[in-house]
Structure formats: C-alpha cells, structure tokens
C-alpha cells in the first residue's frame, strides 16, 4: 500500500527530506504537521504518480519554489513563478533596515518640512512616509514594507510585465496597498521624491559560475545578472537616487558578497552620508546604503529678496 510514509521514504533517495515534505504537502494541500500525523494514511495512485513526477523534476534541478509556486518571505506566503526571482532569506534584512530607518521611532525625513522641493514634486512635510522599491520582482520587499508600515505609501517599479503581474497578484492576495509602475528603474516614474528607496537589483557578474548552478539556472537571468561586471544596475541606481530622494531620505540595496567596497565607493561618490553596511547571517556585508544630505541653508536668498 502507498502511504504518506512510503512516498516520503522513496523521495528521500533523490531529494532532501524537507523538500520531499514540502512537495507532498503542496500536492495534498497539507502542512508538515499534517503529514507527520497521517504517516500511515493510504494515498491514491494518481497522487503518488504526481508526487513522483514532482520529485523527478526537483531531482533534475528545478527549484522547490517553482514546483510549489510558493515561497515564504518575512513570515508571509508569496506566489512565485519562473518570471520572478525566488525571495531569499537574506533579503529580509533589507526589510529590517527599512523599518528601522522610517518606522516608528525611525528618523524619517517626512517629520520635517522640506525646503528644497520645487514645482511638480510632492511635498513630504505632513504626508506619509514614501517608499520606493526598485525592481520588485515577486513584490516581496514592497508588499512586506506596505504591510509592516501601514502608514507608508509604497511604490514599486519593475521592468518585466510578467513579473509585475505576479507582484500585483501577491499584493492583492496579501491585502497590501502598493502602487505598481512598469519601469526600467526610474525611467517611467513620474517626478516625485521618496523618504526611502530599497532595491535588490541584479548584481551577479556575468562570469560568476553560480549562474550555472542550483536554483539560479532556472531563475530569470535579468533578475540575477547585469550580463557584465555585476555593478551596472547598482551604479545606475546609486547615481540616480539622489534626485528621487527627499533631503534626509535613505537608499539601501542588496549586493554580492564581494561588492561591499564598490558599493561604499559609489555611495560616497554620489554624495551620500551616514553610509551603513549590514552583514547577512553568514557574516558577509550584503546590504549598503546611506542618507541624502540636507541641502545647506540658502542663506543669501530670502533676506536679499525682502530687502529690495
Ligand atoms: N542572492 C542571489 C544569489 O546570488 C542574487 C539575487 C540578485 O541578483 N539580486 O543567489
């Protein structure tokens, strides 16, 4: 007789036990606890055949997240398809940094009036915290920030229409209010300023052998690599971000294990201050960012105008 236990035991010959449980749970619409409690339940031959097919695909390299269509991020369940990067645990660190910077008790610029805004830009003097996620993919960063910071106004841009459809569906299912814009980084974004910009851009160098290994083989190449030295997107984002940040606004982005020095140098060149870098769980610097300085007070302008 085919039971939960015999199926899991057979799968373990080619894939890890945790993945076997995820795949069988997905197929049966049950969690691991249910599987454990029903180890001796008999299963239909059709379910057993479907499970073997999934196990074979996994053994051939397809990511578990694409086989189940799901991946947890920051405690929430996101739909994923091969059109989007699979959310990674280290990216949760960007959420923590963002919440620290603009959440309650943070130093959001929106608490202060901004003297430097000109026509066409949105004033942030009394408004909500405004957050931008660049290259949102599944939407995991933008949606998580919208749910963790309910008072924030979150905008997410994404160049791939297919990824954008996944992100929109995730936002709707998770009840997050996010303004989605199809845009190549800032290109199609209407003029405005943000208190915080976050990004998990494609930063893997074209010649990095990891692109040919594991899950990365099945993920959208444009979400992983710039097809060059790995820094093309980061350079573009860091150089353009000051124009899209309110004074005192923050930029934080994820990068590769060997890009910490380059990230810091780019931030310094672009005029960012209070540069911070954060380590992932493996102790490697993987997040960098800084603050856009407040403009120097325009000392000469106001009195002169009044005196004439
Ligand atoms: N963290 C991913 C990896 O190296 C890359 C994600 C990205 O390029 N943004 O597996």
């Amino acid at each position: 007789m085919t039971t939960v236990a015999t199926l899991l035991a057979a799968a373990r010959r080619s894939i890890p036990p945790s993945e076997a449980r995820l795949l069988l749970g997905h197929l049966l619409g049950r969690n691991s606890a249910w599987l454990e409690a029903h180890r001796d339940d008999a299963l239909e031959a059709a379910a057993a055949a479907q499970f073997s097919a999934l196990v074979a695909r996994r053994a051939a390299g397809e990511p578990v997240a694409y086989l189940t269509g799901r991946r947890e991020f920051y405690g929430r369940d996101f739909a994923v398809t091969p059109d989007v990067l699979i959310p990674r645990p280290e990216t949760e660190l960007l959420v923590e940094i963002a919440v620290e910077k603009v959440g309650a008790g943070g130093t959001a610029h929106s608490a202060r009036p901004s003297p430097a805004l000109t026509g066409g830009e949105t004033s942030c003097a009394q408004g909500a915290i405004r957050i931008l996620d660049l290259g949102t993919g599944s939407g995991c960063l933008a949606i998580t920030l919208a749910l963790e910071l309910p008072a924030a106004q979150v905008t997410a841009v994404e160049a791939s229409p297919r990824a954008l459809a996944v992100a929109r569906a995730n936002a709707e299912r998770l009840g997050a209010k996010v303004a989605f814009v199809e845009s190549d980084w800032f290109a199609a974004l209407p003029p405005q300023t943000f208190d915080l910009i976050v990004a998990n851009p494609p930063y893997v160098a074209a010649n990095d052998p990891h692109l040919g290994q594991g899950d990365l083989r099945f993920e959208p190449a444009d979400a992983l690599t710039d097809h060059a030295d790995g820094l093309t997107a980061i350079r573009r984002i860091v150089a353009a971000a000051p124009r899209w940040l309110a004074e005192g606004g923050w930029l934080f982005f994820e990068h590769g294990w060997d890009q910490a020095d380059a990230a810091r140098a780019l931030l310094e060149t672009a005029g960012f201050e209070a540069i911070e870098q954060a380590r992932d769980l493996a102790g490697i610097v993987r997040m960098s960012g800084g603050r856009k300085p407040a403009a120097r007070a325009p000392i000469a302008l106001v009195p002169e105008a009044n005196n004439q």
Side-chain angles (χ1 to χ4, degrees):
M1 186 177 64
T2 305
T3 64
V4 166
T6 58
L7 275 189
L8 289 176
R12 278 172 206 159
R13 288 201 288 270
S14 52
I15 65 173
S18 59
E19 296 185 354
R21 284 195 297 274
L22 269 173
L23 292 177
L24 187 57
H26 162 69
L27 203 65
L28 301 176
R30 306 288 188 175
N31 61 23
S32 292
W34 187 95
L35 294 179
E36 193 50 46
H38 294 80
R39 290 181 58 78
D40 299 324
D41 280 18
L43 291 175
E44 306 273 337
Q50 281 176 308
F51 181 61
S52 309
L54 279 179
V55 171
R57 286 170 66 187
R58 176 59 192 141
E62 273 186 71
V64 174
Y66 290 157
L67 294 173
T68 63
R70 290 274 182 270
R71 177 52 48 96
E72 187 194 302
F73 183 80
Y74 216 80
R76 298 184 183 89
D77 198 33
F78 283 79
V80 294
T81 73
D83 293 314
V84 301
L85 191 78
I86 299 165
R88 309 281 205 271
E90 59 264 34
T91 307
E92 295 179 338
L93 189 52
L94 263 186
V95 175
E96 275 160 30
I97 293 170
V99 170
E100 179 204 313
K101 291 302 174 206
V102 301
T107 52
H109 170 66
S110 60
R112 290 186 273 124
S114 171
L117 297 182
T118 54
E121 295 178 352
T122 313
S123 168
C124 65
Q126 286 113 32
I129 309 271
R130 295 147 316 154
I131 298 174
L132 173 66
D133 175 24
L134 290 166
T136 199
S138 64
C140 63
L141 272 176
I143 291 166
T144 301
L145 289 173
L147 294 171
E148 294 296 315
L149 302 166
Q153 284 172 13
V154 181
T155 302
V157 305
E158 169 58 52
S160 154
R162 293 159 74 103
L164 206 51
V166 175
R168 279 189 209 277
N170 274 323
E172 187 158 337
R173 195 173 39 80
L174 291 166
K177 201 164 159 289
V178 175
F180 290 102
V181 181
E182 187 181 326
S183 175
D184 179 20
W185 306 125
F186 299 99
L189 201 57
Q192 59 196 299
T193 55
F194 298 92
D195 304 297
L196 171 73
I197 299 177
V198 293
N200 177 16
Y203 53 70
V204 182
N207 63 3
D208 188 323
H210 290 104
L211 288 173
Q213 297 167 12
D215 286 4
L216 277 69
R217 291 170 295 167
F218 294 83
E219 293 183 288
D222 290 347
L224 289 167
T225 178
D226 60 352
H227 310 280
D229 68 350
L231 287 165
T232 313
I234 290 175
R235 276 188 206 101
R236 215 172 133 188
I237 289 168
V238 174
R243 279 203 292 122
W244 297 89
L245 281 170
E247 288 180 25
W250 293 91
L251 166 70
F252 273 94
F253 55 91
E254 182 175 316
H255 53 72
W257 61 275
D258 57 352
Q259 294 171 335
D261 291 348
R264 175 178 282 277
L266 288 168
L267 286 161
E268 284 169 357
T269 304
F272 282 90
E273 63 181 18
I275 293 171
E276 291 181 29
Q277 297 189 297
R279 292 171 196 277
D280 66 11
L281 292 174
I284 299 165
V285 173
R286 295 290 306 286
M287 314 285 154
S288 293
R291 188 170 60 202
K292 174 179 168 170
R296 296 220 173 82
I299 301 162
L301 296 180
V302 177
E304 274 178 17
N306 286 346
N307 288 345
Q308 281 169 3

